[in-house]
């Protein structure tokens, strides 16, 4: 159970939520290192909501196998059913459950999602960049069922992410991390950002 930051964001009237709750959104392509950044931020006591996990949970609820193609198709299906902000909307109850003044959101993709999150709190975006071949290697090491089996699979996944708005969102981040070095280098960069945000 993540440590809870002092204060609450879901017990306030809607007009005051933005002043009370800060959301740190992580933006990056699959395997870029968002999870490592999220883990580093969690060590500061910030709860983490993973948008990909929300999609996987929805897949489980619908009886869909968690393959790469199925997750990609479901991501588009959710947006077709509920609008471009669909996954962000599914995240809001989980953010409320943390009862924390600062929450990390791993996997922000579109500006529609950013706008949805802004109705709930102040949003700061951190971009995480990593070269494709290094991302492929990291994704294979994860051994998840939806891991790409080839660089071509990863290219298709990247294209899907870009098509839902990640490319535009990535260019508008407040902070940028280039994750092509050691984990200690990445954590040191995260420390500087946390110091600046706080």
């Amino acid at each position: 159970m993540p440590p809870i930051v002092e204060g609450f964001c879901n017990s306030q009237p809607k007009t005051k939520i933005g002043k009370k709750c800060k959301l740190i959104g992580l933006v990056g392509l699959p395997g870029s290192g968002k999870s490592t950044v999220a883990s580093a931020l969690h060590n500061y006591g910030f709860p983490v909501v993973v948008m990909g996990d929300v999609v996987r949970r929805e897949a489980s609820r619908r009886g869909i196998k968690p393959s790469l193609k199925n997750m990609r198709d479901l991501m588009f299906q959710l947006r077709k059913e509920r609008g471009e902000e669909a996954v962000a909307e599914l995240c809001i109850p989980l953010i409320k459950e943390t009862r924390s003044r600062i929450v990390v959101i791993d996997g922000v993709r579109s500006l529609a999602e950013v706008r949805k999150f802004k109705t709930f709190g102040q949003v700061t975006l951190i971009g995480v960049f990593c070269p494709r071949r290094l991302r492929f290697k990291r994704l294979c090491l994860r051994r998840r069922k939806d891991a790409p089996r080839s660089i071509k699979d990863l290219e298709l996944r990247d294209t899907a992410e870009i098509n839902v708005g990640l490319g535009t969102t990535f260019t508008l981040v407040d902070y940028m991390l280039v994750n092509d070095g050691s984990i200690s280098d990445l954590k040191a960069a995260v420390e500087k950002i946390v110091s600046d945000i706080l």
Side-chain angles (χ1 to χ4, degrees):
M1 182 79 176
I4 295 177
V5 179
E6 184 181 352
F8 306 99
C9 59
N10 64 330
S11 60
Q12 302 295 329
K14 189 171 183 180
T15 54
K16 295 183 180 180
I17 284 176
K19 297 178 182 178
K20 291 289 183 181
C21 193
K22 179 183 285 289
L23 305 177
I24 301 174
L26 305 181
V27 185
L29 289 166
S32 59
K34 298 187 301 297
S35 297
T36 303
V37 173
S39 178
L41 290 168
H42 182 216
N43 288 336
Y44 289 92
F46 309 146
V48 178
V49 173
V50 182
M51 298 186 75
D53 286 350
V54 171
V55 176
R56 282 183 281 274
R57 187 170 70 172
E58 182 65 16
S60 177
R61 190 183 71 81
R62 297 184 183 205
I64 299 172
K65 293 182 180 179
S67 69
L68 180 62
K69 180 181 183 303
N70 288 347
M71 293 303 96
R72 184 170 62 238
D73 290 347
L74 179 57
M75 182 173 67
F76 284 111
Q77 183 63 31
L78 287 169
R79 284 165 171 78
K80 182 178 179 180
E81 293 172 358
R82 305 175 61 165
E84 292 183 21
E85 72 281 3
V87 182
E89 192 173 84
L90 291 171
C91 289
I92 297 297
L94 300 180
I95 295 170
K96 289 181 177 180
E97 285 176 16
T98 70
R99 298 180 66 80
S100 174
R101 289 184 58 233
I102 302 177
V103 179
V104 177
I105 305 168
D106 180 351
V108 178
R109 293 174 176 85
S110 70
L111 293 181
E113 291 172 345
V114 174
R115 286 193 294 270
K116 182 65 178 180
F117 288 132
K118 282 184 176 180
T119 67
F120 190 77
Q122 180 185 350
V123 178
T124 298
L125 298 177
I126 299 175
V128 188
F129 173 81
C130 180
R132 180 176 284 159
R133 289 196 174 275
L134 182 53
R135 289 191 291 113
F136 176 68
K137 180 179 178 181
R138 289 172 176 171
L139 287 169
C140 289
L141 289 173
R142 284 186 192 176
R143 299 181 183 277
R144 277 201 326 220
K145 291 181 180 179
D146 61 347
R149 287 177 285 184
S150 66
I151 288 289
K152 182 65 176 177
D153 280 346
L154 183 55
E155 288 177 2
L156 291 173
R157 188 170 172 182
D158 288 350
T159 300
E161 298 278 349
I162 291 168
N163 285 344
V164 296
L166 188 144
T168 301
T169 306
F170 198 76
T171 64
L172 300 175
V173 297
D174 302 290
Y175 301 92
M176 179 64 72
L177 296 172
V178 178
N179 182 25
D180 59 358
S182 68
I183 290 179
S184 60
D185 288 340
L186 185 62
K187 289 181 176 179
V190 170
E191 183 179 2
K192 292 179 181 178
I193 291 176
V194 171
S195 177
D196 191 45
I197 291 174
L198 297 181

